[in-house]
């Protein structure tokens, strides 16, 4: 009998693309779906679609992630992040399919002086964070054995993310100003994809009550958005690429529609205890990402489109305020 595939939602997002690539490298069958085939706001045929694939596990990486825009699109953010995720989790529960749901560091206020663990009480500062917190409760209500994974500060060669924005700004601006008083754990989407595949590989051998609930999974080490930008520009300089002057600014000097937590650090020790999964140091993974992005030959991406790093970095939103912005679907 052929191995049942992994089903990933949010096909165009950076995490879904990395999951697809890593799974293919390891010979794991995987199906990635997104709009229009799977639209979490058009939920009437989700059960039929999932039944037609009959996956071994569902990883929900689809989300409304426009953090600032969510402040004026509250209903849409909750429709996708809470209601859509709950509908998908309900289908998974009815079909006895393990369900992994991605959440975010933005469920926290950022006032804690140390890294947040899973026992800390969430208090989101913005609509996006509130919608993702609501999604956690809704998913667990629909699928009591679901595994929820909170991640943070995702970057990769794909989608809209901080690393790609810094590369674009290195070409277009003499001075780049980045927020220096927000700290977190930069996380490679490739590392997270690898970690998630390790998690689901261990699900059959772990008591499902132990694997259910909320887990944090982020890159090892911490920095500010300014420190992250410094590391990116240092990587460019070591490769002989001119870089702009970098200046630190405060959160108050860079106002945004949605408030951001000053502290986004997450403690991933629970995931290591339960699943034996620990992501690598963010500095090393950043270097790997830069090598991929700066390859002059270009690599075939997850959709088999060959492009140079300049083409990949075209038309990426500005992140110089240090805000966490990820591609649709994470």
């Amino acid at each position: 009998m052929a191995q049942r595939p992994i089903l990933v939602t949010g096909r165009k997002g950076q995490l879904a693309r990395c999951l697809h690539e890593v799974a293919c490298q390891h010979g794991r069958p995987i199906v990635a779906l997104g709009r229009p085939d799977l639209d979490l706001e058009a939920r009437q045929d989700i059960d039929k679609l999932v039944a037609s694939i009959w996956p071994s596990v569902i990883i929900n990486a689809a989300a409304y992630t426009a953090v600032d825009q969510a402040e004026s699109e509250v209903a849409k953010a909750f429709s996708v992040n809470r209601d859509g995720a709950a509908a998908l989790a309900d289908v998974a529960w009815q079909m006895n399919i393990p369900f992994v749901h991605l959440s975010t560091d933005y469920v926290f206020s950022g006032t804690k002086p140390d890294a947040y663990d899973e026992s800390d009480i969430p208090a989101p500062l913005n609509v996006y964070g509130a919608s993702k917190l609501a999604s956690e409760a809704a998913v667990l209500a629909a699928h009591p054995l679901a595994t929820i994974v909170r991640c943070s500060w995702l970057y990769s060669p794909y989608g809209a993310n901080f690393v790609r924005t810094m590369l674009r700004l290195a070409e277009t601006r003499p001075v780049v100003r980045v927020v220096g008083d927000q700290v977190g754990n930069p996380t490679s989407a490739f590392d997270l994809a690898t970690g998630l595949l390790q998690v689901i590989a261990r699900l059959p051998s772990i008591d499902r009550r132990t694997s259910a609930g909320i887990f944090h999974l982020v890159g090892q080490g911490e920095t500010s958005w300014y420190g992250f930008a410094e590391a990116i520009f240092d990587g460019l300089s070591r490769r002989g690429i001119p870089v702009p002057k970098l200046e630190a600014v405060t959160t108050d000097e860079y106002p945004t529609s949605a408030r951001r937590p000053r502290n986004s650090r997450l403690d991933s020790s629970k995931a290591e205890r339960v699943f034996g999964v620990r992501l690598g140091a963010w500095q090393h993974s950043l270097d790997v990402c830069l090598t991929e992005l700066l390859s002059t030959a270009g690599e075939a991406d997850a959709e088999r489109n060959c492009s140079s790093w300049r083409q990949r970095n075209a038309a990426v939103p500005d992140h110089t305020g240090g805000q966490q912005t990820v591609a649709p679907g994470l």
Side-chain angles (χ1 to χ4, degrees), residues 28-305:
R28 299 285 302 275
I30 187 168
V31 175
L33 292 178
R35 293 189 302 265
D37 304 305
L38 176 62
D39 185 347
L40 293 184
E41 288 194 282
R43 296 180 278 272
Q44 62 273 12
D45 294 323
I46 288 180
D47 54 346
K48 295 177 183 178
L49 184 59
V50 173
S52 70
I53 297 168
W54 195 41
S56 60
V57 62
I58 298 173
I59 301 177
N60 182 35
Y64 179 104
T65 57
V67 178
D68 287 312
Q69 194 171 335
E71 296 298 304
S72 59
E73 293 187 347
V74 178
K76 185 175 182 65
F78 275 83
S79 176
V80 175
N81 291 344
R82 179 194 61 196
D83 303 336
L88 191 60
D90 181 64
V91 170
W93 178 255
Q94 298 302 323
M95 296 183 179
N96 195 28
I97 297 171
F99 191 77
V100 178
H101 175 66
L102 274 297
S103 191
T104 174
D105 55 300
Y106 275 25
V107 301
F108 294 113
S109 66
T111 57
K112 184 180 178 180
D114 305 313
Y116 284 93
D117 62 36
E118 294 83 354
S119 67
D120 288 315
I121 299 174
L125 298 177
N126 53 52
V127 169
Y128 167 70
S131 70
K132 293 299 288 182
L133 178 61
S135 79
E136 296 178 358
V139 163
L140 288 173
H143 195 309
L145 296 179
T147 301
I148 294 174
V149 177
R150 291 175 180 153
C151 57
S152 72
W153 293 25
L154 281 185
Y155 66 90
S156 74
Y158 310 125
N161 61 72
F162 188 77
V163 173
R164 294 185 66 218
T165 296
M166 290 299 106
L167 264 64
R168 176 176 60 83
L169 296 180
E171 284 196 312
T172 59
R173 293 192 183 180
V175 178
V176 174
R177 303 171 75 230
V178 180
V179 167
D181 59 357
Q182 297 174 18
V183 295
N185 308 102
T187 304
S188 161
F190 271 115
D191 286 357
L192 180 58
T194 300
L196 289 173
L197 293 180
Q198 292 172 342
V199 166
I200 64 175
R202 286 166 171 76
L203 287 178
S205 61
I206 298 176
D207 187 323
R208 290 183 71 179
R209 291 168 296 182
T210 303
S211 64
I214 298 171
F215 297 83
H216 295 170
L217 194 56
V218 296
Q220 294 300 308
E222 61 189 55
T223 189
S224 65
W225 287 114
Y226 176 82
F228 196 8
E230 265 192 323
I232 295 166
F233 287 169
D234 178 66
L236 298 183
S237 293
R238 286 188 281 106
R239 290 167 171 84
I241 298 173
V243 297
K245 180 182 178 182
L246 186 62
E247 295 181 353
V249 297
T250 66
T251 298
D252 292 339
E253 290 177 292
Y254 194 93
T256 55
S257 299
R259 296 171 60 198
R260 266 74 174 174
R262 299 291 181 96
N263 174 25
S264 281
R265 294 173 294 168
L266 301 181
D267 182 336
S268 299
S269 57
K270 180 183 175 184
E272 185 172 8
R273 289 194 308 271
V274 174
F275 298 110
V277 174
R278 177 186 175 93
L279 304 191
W282 70 266
Q283 296 92 334
H284 171 74
S285 299
L286 172 62
D287 199 58
V288 173
C289 182
L290 289 176
T291 297
E292 165 73 7
L293 279 167
L294 297 172
S295 171
T296 55
E299 298 288 344
D301 66 17
E303 295 180 348
R304 300 301 183 261
N305 296 321

